[in-house]
Amino acid sequence: MKRGLYILLISILFISCSDFQKTLKSEDTAAKFEMATELYDAGKWNKSYRLLDQILQKYRGKPQAEKITFMHAMCSFQLKDYYIASYHFDKFTDVYPQSEKIEEASFLAAKGYYFNSPVYSKEQKETIEAIEKLQLFVNQYPNSEYLTEANELVKELDFKLEKKAFEIAKQYNLISEYKASIKSFNNFLLEFPGATLRSEAFYYRFDSAYNLSIRSVNYLKEERVKEAISYFKALQKAYPNSEYMGDATIMNEELQQQLNTFTTKS
């Protein structure tokens, strides 16, 4: 019984594959459209895409073109070919601005850009582009069913830019390039006023200023000690309960002793 069922399933699969290959090689565009639609509805994205790719140009200007264009883009998206998917969804929104699928296509086009965003340590051109596309979608469709997801994607991409800027500034600190670190953290705090890593940035800016001051030559030391203390006060005011406050307080006490030395001399 089991052997018979197995043979039957293999036979159905073989016939199905045979029908697909036959249709793929035929010149019958209507048959290709019909089978592509059936495969699409069944989630057979690769096979559906191959058929749609053959007939896409042949249906330009015809009533079926809108459906074929959308399915073609969706197959690319489901196959994780996001560059191609976003390109075709963008074209769909340009050609069919009145389509009932326009909102979905606009969102999936933007989401494709999101998937093309690299890890934070790499060049972030695609990340910036994805944020712009998603923000444009949010502005165009403020009541969209995809609004919550779009905002979450923007938030995630924003953090990626934040993380990259933060790590660059922190790296300067780690390699003892303290002036560059202070400048980078100042820029970071201006550029990302609501940053998740803001408290850490306040601390590492102070840490860089502290290390710069205690390593300074005498004629620069007093000025840099005062600057470091000002960064401690900024940390203390903004994040009095910071996890870094214990270490920062000890460092500040040392700076105060240094400052007292200058005051005594004068």
Side-chain angles (χ1 to χ4, degrees), residues 207-226:
D207 182 77
S208 293
Y210 163 82
N211 281 290
L212 180 65
S213 68
I214 63 174
R215 288 166 171 77
S216 290
V217 293
N218 287 334
Y219 76 94
L220 292 174
K221 203 174 190 70
E222 183 177 3
E223 178 186 349
R224 288 178 174 175
V225 166
K226 289 178 178 178

Side-chain angles (χ1 to χ4, degrees), residues 105-249:
S106 297
F107 174 67
L108 291 175
K111 192 172 182 179
Y113 285 98
Y114 159 82
F115 281 119
N116 287 326
S117 171
V119 296
Y120 78 86
S121 57
K122 293 186 177 181
E123 171 61 42
Q124 293 299 300
K125 177 183 176 183
E126 289 88 352
T127 302
I128 294 170
E129 190 173 26
I131 291 172
E132 290 172 350
K133 293 288 185 180
L134 284 161
Q135 195 59 60
L136 181 62
F137 172 81
V138 168
N139 293 341
Q140 288 181 330
Y141 301 98
N143 300 313
S144 172
E145 64 179 293
Y146 306 109
L147 185 64
T148 300
E149 184 178 358
N151 283 327
E152 285 299 318
L153 296 179
V154 170
K155 185 178 179 181
E156 185 178 332
L157 293 168
D158 279 338
F159 180 73
K160 193 177 289 188
L161 297 181
E162 175 190 328
K163 178 74 170 173
K164 182 177 179 66
F166 176 84
E167 290 298 335
I168 289 173
K170 186 177 178 182
Q171 184 62 28
Y172 283 129
N173 174 279
L174 294 175
I175 62 174
S176 302
E177 291 287 345
Y178 298 118
K179 290 174 69 175
S181 181
I182 293 167
K183 182 177 180 180
S184 294
F185 276 121
N186 280 333
N187 290 337
F188 174 86
L189 291 167
L190 285 172
E191 188 175 352
F192 301 98
T196 305
L197 299 170
R198 191 170 174 82
S199 64
E200 288 90 336
F202 268 84
Y203 170 73
Y204 281 107
R205 180 178 66 171
F206 166 59
D207 182 77
S208 293
Y210 163 82
N211 281 290
L212 180 65
S213 68
I214 63 174
R215 288 166 171 77
S216 290
V217 293
N218 287 334
Y219 76 94
L220 292 174
K221 203 174 190 70
E222 183 177 3
E223 178 186 349
R224 288 178 174 175
V225 166
K226 289 178 178 178
E227 182 180 41
I229 291 173
S230 73
Y231 287 141
F232 170 77
K233 289 179 178 178
L235 169 64
Q236 187 180 46
K237 181 179 179 180
Y239 299 99
N241 299 316
S242 168
E243 63 181 294
Y244 302 105
M245 210 59 219
D247 290 340
T249 299

Side-chain angles (χ1 to χ4, degrees), residues 57-69:
Q57 297 299 328
K58 295 178 181 179
Y59 274 95
R60 292 293 185 202
K62 296 181 179 180
Q64 302 93 329
E66 180 183 331
K67 181 177 182 179
I68 291 172
T69 304

